[in-house]
Amino acid sequence: MSFDYDLFVIGGGSGGVRAARVAAGENGAKVGLAEEDRYGGTCVIRGCVPKKLMVFASEFSGMVGDAQAYGWDIQAGALNWDTFHGKLVTELDRLEGIYRNILKNNGVESSDQRATVVDPHTVELADGTRKTAKHILIATGGRPVVPEFPGSDLAITSNEIFHLEKLPQSILIVGGGYIASEFAGIMNGMGVKTTQFYRGAQILRGFDEEARGLICEEMRQNGIDVRLGTNVLEMTKEGDKIRVKATDGTEDQFDVVMYATGRAPNADNLGLEALGVERGRKGEIVVDEYSQTGVPSIYAIGDVTDRVNLTPVAIREGMAFVETVFKGNPTPVDHELIPTAIFTQPEFGTVGLSEEEGAAQEPIEVYATSFKPMQKAFAGGTQRVLMKLIVSQATRKVLGCHIVAPGAGEMIQLAGIAVKMGATKEDFDRTVAVHPVMAEELVTMRQPVRTA
Ligand code: NDP
């Protein structure tokens, strides 16, 4: 049987574009791709990239005081949102153009419209055109979800926060995950009076407790009103403001309320139900270790599969899919020991097991140090950083590394190599320190602070 394409990809985000490019450009496959929104997907258009630019923009406010303390004659001003936002829009347009060009230059035929699956080898575009393909790859990503409650329609999500008409004077951010905690820091740094509600006992559930505790403490020191054990009961519009009634009995007004209470996979209305493609509890597409669904010609990668929802993971899944399907080299996706950074302020870099996970798994030693970094301490700052290693007592392997510090994302990328290689504590110790940098503590901690 002959098909229009060897591969049809639904979704032009990081994972889909990578798979399409490599299948077409490096493997000579005939590839089609459909994207109903903007090319680049969540990461490039409404996630990692604009978020990181906002982190950069927000960090300047803290630098002015430090510069003054170092002797600079410098005055703080305010962020001009229009200037920043204008540049942001231009940059996102540029990046989207790059994504489109990647596809074009690799011979991928792309359509700017929604596609659904009609049968195991056929997709239908929104204009009614049908295309056949030997393989179909679903890479449709995810979207923010806001729970239903009175006034929930007044909330914005991370999709809208990048394109506010003006910077609000006050914002409430609801949620305690990556997105909520990152945006609390961003908004606070941009000069917005920032409140964060989290329903649980500590933000960033699932990560190392000591690290979470320090991040929350520092966020509060920076001026964010982090209210733990608190949720929204109802919201009402009051003039230009939103009145929020909270579970802790308080009522406050905010200019903007942003919900970052989780994301859902974009797997609805794609035609999958009729084909019997299995969906999980959150609606995600269920796939095996090769990203294959129960329908052999249909694969899925990235956030729509809700495995590890990170851009570099989606890209890995896309590459492994191409290796498996187009190179005849079955390649399972390795989801072990993925280093990651959370761009809270202070930043958090982490790989491997938390102290709690390590202790639950086997006897461990914990090496940790928390101190005032030189640059801030000189300026009179009270901020602290944390360097922490979780070590197996039996194998001496470093099971986890957790860094709360400026630049922690950069540091954990490198520490992640050692941890992924299975480095032992003694391997870390044999490495000569780089002096004077914060990360030298990772190779100079001699005594465990505790065992568990
Ligand atoms: P998360 O699932 O990480 O966090 C959701 C938060 O909202 C949790 O604190 C959760 O509380 C809370 N919550 C859930 N439902 C409700 C509710 N009904 N009312 C109040 N609070 C609620 O989602 P995010 O939106 O923060 O991020 C989604 C994903 O995006 C992450 O898993 C991550 O993989 C990815 N991401 C990665 C980034 C990075 O690498 N730096 C940056 C941003 C996103 P509870 O803990 O009690 O469940």
Side-chain angles (χ1 to χ4, degrees):
M1 188 176 168
S2 83
F3 298 100
D4 297 327
Y5 296 107
D6 300 311
L7 170 66
F8 197 94
V9 181
I10 306 181
S14 304
V17 167
R18 176 61 66 92
R21 164 166 88 72
V22 181
E26 292 176 19
N27 294 275
K30 187 153 195 282
V31 181
L33 182 146
E35 167 59 57
E36 64 176 334
D37 199 331
R38 298 188 64 183
Y39 287 74
T42 300
C43 177
V44 176
I45 304 296
R46 60 194 91 82
C48 328
V49 172
K51 180 273 308 285
K52 187 94 191 261
L53 291 169
M54 282 178 84
V55 169
F56 288 141
S58 70
E59 282 176 341
F60 287 103
S61 57
M63 290 175 192
V64 176
D66 285 357
Q68 286 169 339
Y70 272 81
W72 280 90
D73 183 7
I74 188 174
Q75 299 308 318
L79 175 76
N80 184 323
W81 174 255
D82 289 342
T83 305
F84 171 73
H85 185 248
K87 289 197 74 163
L88 182 68
V89 167
T90 307
E91 178 62 2
L92 300 186
D93 288 348
R94 187 182 74 84
L95 293 173
E96 184 179 13
I98 289 175
Y99 270 70
R100 283 183 182 275
N101 279 336
I102 287 173
L103 294 173
K104 199 166 124 207
N105 296 341
N106 283 281
V108 177
E109 290 176 16
S110 50
S111 307
D112 294 2
Q113 53 186 320
R114 185 171 172 80
T116 53
V117 186
V118 179
D119 69 41
H121 293 287
T122 309
V123 296
E124 182 173 293
L125 299 172
D127 65 8
T129 318
R130 289 193 170 197
K131 297 283 183 191
T132 58
K134 187 165 185 207
H135 304 284
I136 295 171
L137 178 67
I138 299 169
T140 45
R143 63 183 187 285
V145 283
V146 179
E148 292 261 328
F149 63 92
S152 58
D153 55 314
L154 297 172
I156 63 163
T157 69
S158 57
N159 283 351
E160 292 78 42
I161 191 93
F162 300 111
H163 302 296
L164 295 170
E165 268 176 37
K166 58 181 180 47
L167 211 50
Q169 285 185 339
S170 63
I171 189 167
L172 168 66
I173 297 180
V174 182
Y178 282 67
I179 300 181
S181 304
E182 290 183 339
F183 274 98
I186 289 170
M187 286 291 139
N188 183 57
M190 286 185 166
V192 180
K193 189 172 178 293
T194 304
T195 305
Q196 182 179 0
F197 283 4
Y198 173 52
R199 64 184 180 181
Q202 185 54 277
I203 59 168
L204 299 172
R205 183 164 63 83
F207 292 102
D208 185 89
E209 263 182 41
E210 195 174 4
R212 298 161 68 195
L214 179 60
I215 294 166
C216 184
E217 197 180 304
E218 293 290 330
M219 284 170 66
R220 283 176 163 158
Q221 287 288 332
N222 291 343
I224 302 169
D225 181 10
V226 184
R227 301 207 336 225
L228 302 174
T230 308
N231 211 343
V232 173
L233 275 176
E234 65 172 56
M235 305 200 301
T236 43
K237 188 96 181 132
E238 225 172 64
D240 287 348
K241 310 250 180 213
I242 300 169
R243 174 169 285 278
V244 176
K245 208 185 257 187
T247 51
D248 62 1
T250 59
E251 277 194 40
D252 292 287
Q253 281 188 334
F254 301 93
D255 291 329
V256 172
V257 177
M258 178 179 120
Y259 260 71
T261 49
R263 298 176 60 85
N266 285 330
D268 295 340
N269 306 318
L270 282 174
L272 300 173
E273 295 78 7
L275 296 181
V277 171
E278 191 187 341
R279 304 272 296 277
R281 201 175 52 86
K282 279 178 69 183
E284 73 277 14
I285 298 176
V286 176
V287 291
D288 68 10
E289 59 190 325
Y290 302 102
S291 300
Q292 190 173 30
T293 69
V295 177
S297 58
I298 302 180
Y299 289 74
I301 56 166
D303 289 6
V304 76
T305 62
D306 194 31
R307 286 175 280 180
V308 179
N309 298 333
L310 298 171
T311 301
V313 176
I315 289 172
R316 285 292 171 110
E317 290 166 357
M319 302 281 278
F321 157 78
V322 174
E323 194 70 25
T324 301
V325 172
F326 290 96
K327 290 194 176 162
N329 175 26
T331 304
V333 187
D334 179 3
H335 289 112
E336 292 300 309
L337 294 172
I338 295 169
T340 188
I342 304 172
F343 296 96
T344 40
Q345 298 175 37
E347 203 166 296
F348 181 27
T350 178
V351 62
L353 302 184
S354 65
E355 179 177 343
E356 298 68 38
E357 289 167 337
Q361 176 180 296
E362 62 183 273
I364 55 163
E365 286 179 352
V366 177
Y367 293 82
T369 175
S370 179
F371 57 96
K372 287 188 199 165
M374 191 178 178
Q375 185 186 10
K376 295 286 181 186
F378 184 83
T382 56
Q383 297 97 322
R384 303 188 75 81
V385 303
L386 171 72
M387 301 283 156
K388 181 166 181 180
L389 296 175
I390 311 302
V391 177
S392 161
Q393 288 188 23
T395 65
R396 306 298 300 152
K397 275 190 185 170
V398 176
L399 303 173
C401 176
H402 312 284
I403 302 173
V404 178
E410 304 287 351
M411 296 179 211
I412 207 68
Q413 178 67 82
L414 304 179
I417 300 172
V419 175
K420 184 78 182 163
M421 287 176 74
T424 60
K425 176 67 170 64
E426 286 64 36
D427 291 325
F428 273 66
D429 294 347
R430 281 191 292 112
T431 306
V432 174
V434 175
H435 187 71
V437 300
M438 293 175 278
E440 70 182 291
E441 298 291 334
L442 291 175
V443 299
T444 56
M445 291 185 284
R446 291 287 166 253
Q447 294 299 323
V449 288
R450 54 190 170 269
T451 56

